[in-house]
Amino acid sequence: MSDETLRLIEQTADDLFAAESGAARAALAKGEWPEGAWQAFAATGLAQAALPEDAGGAGLAAGLAVLRAAGRHAAPLPVAETMMATLLCHAAGMEAPPGPLALSTTAAGEDGDGSTVRRVPWARFASAVAVVGPEGTLTLRTPADVVEGANLAGEPRDDMALSGPPAAAGTLPPDTDGTLLMALARAAQLRGAMEQALAMTVRYASEREQFGRPLARFQAIQHHLAEIAGEAAASGAAVDAAAEARTPFAFAAAKARASQAAGTIARLAHQVHGAIGYTAEHDLHHWTKRLWAWRDECGNEAHWWRVLGTDAGQGGGAALWPMLVAAGTAGTDAAAAAGEGARP
Amino acid sequence: MTGFDFPPPVMPPGVEALRAEVRAFLAQSQAEEGWRPDSDFGSDWSASFSRALGARGWIGMTWPAAYGGHERSALERYVVIEELLAAGAPVYAHWVADRQSGPLLLRFGSEAQRRAILPRIAAGGCYFAIGMSEPDSGSDLASVRTRAVRSGDGWRIDGTKVWTSNAHRSHYMIALCRTGPAGESRHEGLSQFLIDLEGDGVEVNPIVNLAGKHDFNECVFDGVTIPADRLIGREGDGWRQVTGELALERSGPERILSTFHLLAALVEAAGPAPEPRLAEAIGRLVAEFYALRAMSLAVAGRLEAGALPDVEAAIVKDMGTRFEAEVAETLRRAVPLEPVAGDRDGAGGNAPSLASALGASVLGLPSFTLRGGTNEILRSIIARGLGVR
Ligand SMILES: Cc1cc2nc3c(=O)[nH]c(=O)nc-3n(C[C@H](O)[C@H](O)[C@H](O)COP(=O)(O)OP(=O)(O)OC[C@H]3O[C@@H](n4cnc5c(N)ncnc54)[C@H](O)[C@@H]3O)c2cc1C
């Protein structure tokens, strides 16, 4: 896919989410499903963006670009879940149901005890819930017995019983890891939210004056801005590199890095905004709450650090460098584990 | 968009074969020469190693063949130098010449300067020192006072440069001097000169660093006269030239890899089944390194595309040097170990113990966030890149 197509997709997503997200957030805050925003999104076909080109999509990088835009505008829709559930269905050779989809994956603590799945994003509003189970099973279920919950940003995170037979069941190819895919998707959203937090903070620091000059003239503030920019850039670079390398290591590193950056960025963005940023009325919290929520979803940084730290030691110290280079390079053995095309 | 993207560059074909070639060379060189791996580019000086690299075509890689170069891409060069650093090879002798002095001469030097010097650098036999800092001019580089005035057919230089790494064992220095009024911007009236450290009569006085090593020097110019053809580029263009030089000085993988040998040692010490807290600490470093390497590669991609990614390079150097320190700190905490200076723990020779490797890094760390521009200055550059000043 050309850079031009990629830019076009990201622009389409950016325009859409910019137009729809504000009103949709207000609806969700009242407990309503933002149907209008969802319909507008569904009409673009962007939910299929992450599919391989021969399956009517534009590839993983395009999907991540859409998610970045969704994060940038704090779009209160199951964009990531629908997109990744669609991708997993394709990988398992199953038909993805129409409508908003929820997705339950198995990173630390989310898979419940086998009879329930916990904190499933958007389950109550979904037409179907895709459940990644042990040993690579993928089942589709109609949401039932939902116990409603929410993350810090007020996005639905529901518990659901796994009662009765699923509506459909399949098996994911061994090289397709739904948990890692969803972690990467969340990292892409985090990256978008970071971008917006940075932009808002730079703008505020340039407009707000104290001691007769804009805050941005104070070096302490400039260094906060530089730190936010650096953390956001590192998260973005890790996500971009993962889309390119497609190795399990790279997916895990992207979520670990973005989750780590999220807390630093939220803290500094609020510090620079002062009291006004601590109000419900100011918009900043829409992004910082997502940073705080998303960093812990799909495995937080400590979870993925443990995975990476254990992986890193498998070959001993001398093997570390070749392993890191291979994990960051497309077309290596490790890449097969994350697969090509349909296989994330 | 506010902020900075670091898109992965498209790597040139054949780059993995090149990487394999470098690895094979390094394994053999290490076995034969017995150098002790240290990923800090400034750790070990070996003219013979530099010559061997030159013979392989791995110095001046991107320069035109007419000047002894090899017309490879910046990304191929990146792969070679990251392999050298990761293996901890003794690259110091030719490092500055290959990284910044040669490219500066290629871009701004006269044809005669290029022909006389670039092939010698590429062969691994000609070394350079950086003549920027002075006793009263550190971060505020534009305030340099070393003055060059026209005298007869050439120039007469008076002043003092300081912290000049390797002046005592290099052939040339590129010195930034004041040649005219600073002007409103403070950036006018600066020029760069090629100084022959062996023949021009510069007084080079050693300064021993806190680790007991003699790397940097004080260089006194007391009426040093040089011919006119030693001016590099145009008179008065020194600021623009030195800014480009600094972008090269700051943008490479040596700003993220200085303690990589310690990270490998930490992984080795932890073994295949580290307890969760240790796995977490290692994973944190590894994830950070993964992101930094992606960023560093992206900077190389921008350089290859002809851009001057100075803000992006500042981000990588600021974060990279802090990461380098974090590696040593994590190792120290994870593997209870008292760092020692030099080889005094008795290991010596080709197999320094972890304690002496750690000791070298603990004593080296303060310099990582200073050399090539301090992290505070880098952060101000990043803020300017965000449109804030
Ligand atoms: C190992 C080593 C090798 C070196 N090799 C060379 C060499 O080969 N050639 C060469 O020319 N130079 C060399 N240097 C010098 C190096 O470039 C300077 O140390 C560096 O630019 C800082 O200058 P300074 O040491 O005078 O510190 P100063 O500029 O005096 O700074 C001291 C402290 O104040 C801070 N500071 C200064 N200005 C500001 C500001 N505007 N805002 C906020 N904080 C500020 C700095 O960040 C730093 O923390 C070397 C230094 C080291 C440590």
Side-chain angles (χ1 to χ4, degrees), chain A residues 219, chain B residues 130 132-133 138-139 163-165 216 367 370 374 376-377:
Chain A
Q219 196 177 54
Chain B
I130 303 167
M132 296 185 195
S133 305
S139 300
W163 320 127
T164 322
S165 299
F216 50 31
S367 73
L370 294 171
T374 72
E376 289 73 20
I377 295 302

Side-chain angles (χ1 to χ4, degrees), chain A residues 68 72 191 195 198-199 202 206 216-217 219 222-227 229-238 240-242 244-245 247 249-250 252-254 256-257 260 301-306 308-310 312-318 320-325 327-329, chain B residues 1-10 16 19 23 82-83 86-87 257 260 263-265 267-268 271-274 276-295 297 315 318-319 322 375-380 382-384 386-389:
Chain A
R68 174 183 184 177
R72 193 186 293 136
R191 179 240 191 126
E195 243 175 294
L198 171 64
V202 169
S206 305
R217 295 281 294 281
Q219 196 177 54
Q222 291 183 0
H223 288 196
H224 286 340
L225 299 178
E227 173 130 26
E231 290 292 308
S235 305
D240 285 343
E244 180 92 358
T247 60
F249 188 95
R257 190 61 188 85
Q260 181 194 344
E301 64 271 39
H303 170 82
W304 292 116
W305 286 340
R306 285 190 294 273
L308 292 167
T310 306
Q314 291 318 301
L320 178 66
W321 174 253
M323 191 278 281
L324 287 171
V325 170
T329 310
Chain B
M1 188 194 90
T2 310
F4 308 98
D5 268 3
F6 289 77
V10 178
E16 290 312 309
R19 187 188 294 285
R23 283 185 187 169
E82 74 166 356
E83 287 294 331
L257 276 162
F260 190 81
L263 184 56
V267 163
E268 180 69 28
R277 291 277 300 271
L278 184 53
E280 214 173 287
I282 293 172
R284 176 181 181 138
L285 294 173
V286 160
E288 180 70 2
F289 179 76
Y290 183 82
L292 285 167
R293 179 167 177 265
M295 296 166 88
L297 261 167
I315 292 176
D318 175 36
M319 301 181 77
R322 286 186 283 147
N375 289 40
E376 289 73 20
I377 295 302
L378 296 172
R379 286 178 172 215
S380 295
I382 300 163
R384 271 207 300 283
L386 289 167
V388 157
R389 55 182 68 233

Side-chain angles (χ1 to χ4, degrees), chain B residues 19-30:
Chain B
R19 187 188 294 285
E21 213 184 309
V22 178
R23 283 185 187 169
F25 163 82
L26 285 167
Q28 192 182 350
S29 165
Q30 216 276 321

